Amino acid sequence: MSQLLVEERNIVVPGEALAEGMDYLPGENTYRTDQKIYSKVLGLLSTSARVIKITPLAGPYLPKPGDKIIGRVTDILLSGWRMDTATAYSAVLNVRDATTRFIRKEEDLRKTLDIGDYVTVIITNVTSQNLIDVTMKEPGLQKITGGRIIRINAHKVPRVIGKKASMITLIKEKTGCSITVGQNGLVWIKGTPDGEFRAVEAIKVIESKSHEEGLTEKIEQFLQ
Amino acid sequence: MAYTKRNDGRKVDELRPMEAKAHIIPNADGSASFKIGKTWAIAAVYGPREVYPRFLANPKKGLLRCHYSMMPFSGSGERIKPGKSRRAQEISMVMELALQPVVDLSAYPNAVVDIFVELPQTDAGTRCAAISAACIALADAGIPMKDMVSSVAVGQVDGTVLADLDYSEESYPAEVSDIPVAMLHNTKEISLLQMDGEISKEDLLKALELAKAATEKVYELQVKALKEKYLEQ
């Protein structure tokens, strides 16, 4: 007989047996050996139909095409920029993906983006070696000026944004800041000094309580 | 005269009092503290991150690198020279080998996961404490692992098979052997087995049987430490 050995939304550690029998299927972050399904990371268990998966509570960010991230320019190449993505892998932004303006061959690329500049970009391609290509040619992508940048756990990003962006809208309204959340865990906050400070505090609370329920109400109270 | 009563009054299969805590270093990606008796290990995990020097990078899978170090004041008065030594390098290597069977870094080519272990206080069994702490820290960092590794020393003092020897037993003036063992929880595979001294075949088998029960106790504590962090809030 197949049975689940751990209840839904319980915390599991790597190597913990999750289910017995062939009726369940191993999903994300799990693996099967013989008759049993085991966890591969520290996380929360969730099932959908027969598939068991683990939502990680911590861990590195893996770049995915389509993700909006915040990067920092670390080097200037022949026809583009290399950026740090807060992961083990750097990304390349090509000149033609950065601007619609015509750039002459001999022009200094530092005029457009200099080393140390932060930019919001979207990932277009990730190779098997995790080499990342990014673009700035989408609405809303820009060089970051002013405000502050904080780093959070990349797995907490969905919580910071909330369902249909409810959480981030709440923080924006209550603090009057403009906030951009990168999927890689970098967050850009720009507003008044006091508003920025309160937004940072609110995001830190979300990060530490992300596995709890009714978080939007708690943050609403926190920001009163 | 045989060694029938242990110096600190423990039973033969009894471990020293243990204490474990996950996520004690906020700046690290994952961290842990593991105490067993007077031995105390602190582990911090950074990564996956870029590999330096570059030639070490493996384009097929990520690299696991351990750094073991006893703090200068950690012994019993004599200052320990900090930094790399022959002994520290060897223990770093056996730690890597003990953890490698469970850690899955295939999703992180050309990257490295660094584990730093510092021992503020030592009283025998440091490599075991270091491995147990490193394993908690790796899980805390969210590194994909297929199992947990728990480690404890077993051995023989003057003909009596014991679990978790302390320094007074390791240096007992008779025939002594000290066998650090690291074991995977699910499969009971041994990923570290070293020995100092001499032991008979029968006693060795007895000692390994003892190690199975002893590592299980360490495992329970490791799991508790990892879950505690999320349950207490």
Side-chain angles (χ1 to χ4, degrees), chain B residues 71-182:
Chain B
M71 287 187 175
F73 49 79
S74 63
S76 43
E78 202 92 318
R79 183 181 134 94
I80 292 152
K81 204 170 126 195
K84 259 189 186 173
S85 64
R86 200 215 99 250
R87 180 175 173 275
Q89 260 181 300
E90 181 208 306
I91 296 179
S92 303
M93 187 197 74
V94 298
M95 278 179 69
E96 275 167 31
L97 296 177
L99 294 165
Q100 229 134 33
V102 298
V103 177
D104 173 20
L105 292 174
S106 52
Y108 306 98
N110 289 322
V112 65
V113 173
D114 276 313
I115 309 170
F116 298 93
V117 181
E118 289 285 342
L119 293 122
Q121 187 169 266
T122 59
D123 183 32
T126 56
R127 69 193 70 192
C128 299
I131 290 168
S132 302
C135 188
I136 305 177
L138 280 171
D140 181 46
I143 307 291
M145 287 153 77
K146 66 170 200 178
D147 207 342
M148 294 285 282
V149 182
S150 316
S151 179
V152 82
V154 290
Q156 171 268 121
V157 176
D158 209 3
T160 317
V161 177
L162 303 170
D164 190 24
L165 283 73
D166 65 17
Y167 187 71
S168 71
E169 288 170 330
E170 261 184 22
S171 57
Y172 192 77
E175 201 169 271
V176 172
S177 63
D178 167 38
I179 310 167
V181 180

Side-chain angles (χ1 to χ4, degrees), chain B residues 14-109:
Chain B
E14 194 179 338
L15 307 183
R16 290 174 281 175
M18 293 184 286
E19 208 181 296
K21 217 170 170 199
H23 209 78
I24 53 160
I25 303 168
N27 265 359
D29 294 313
S31 55
S33 146
F34 184 88
K35 282 184 202 173
I36 180 158
K38 285 188 212 149
T39 302
W40 181 11
I42 294 175
V45 170
Y46 289 87
R49 59 183 182 182
E50 269 180 87
V51 186
Y52 291 107
R54 260 316 192 4
F55 69 86
L56 290 174
N58 181 347
K60 292 220 171 71
K61 61 171 194 163
L63 195 71
L64 185 73
R65 211 157 46 174
C66 290
H67 307 261
Y68 165 102
S69 152
M70 268 160 71
M71 287 187 175
F73 49 79
S74 63
S76 43
E78 202 92 318
R79 183 181 134 94
I80 292 152
K81 204 170 126 195
K84 259 189 186 173
S85 64
R86 200 215 99 250
R87 180 175 173 275
Q89 260 181 300
E90 181 208 306
I91 296 179
S92 303
M93 187 197 74
V94 298
M95 278 179 69
E96 275 167 31
L97 296 177
L99 294 165
Q100 229 134 33
V102 298
V103 177
D104 173 20
L105 292 174
S106 52
Y108 306 98

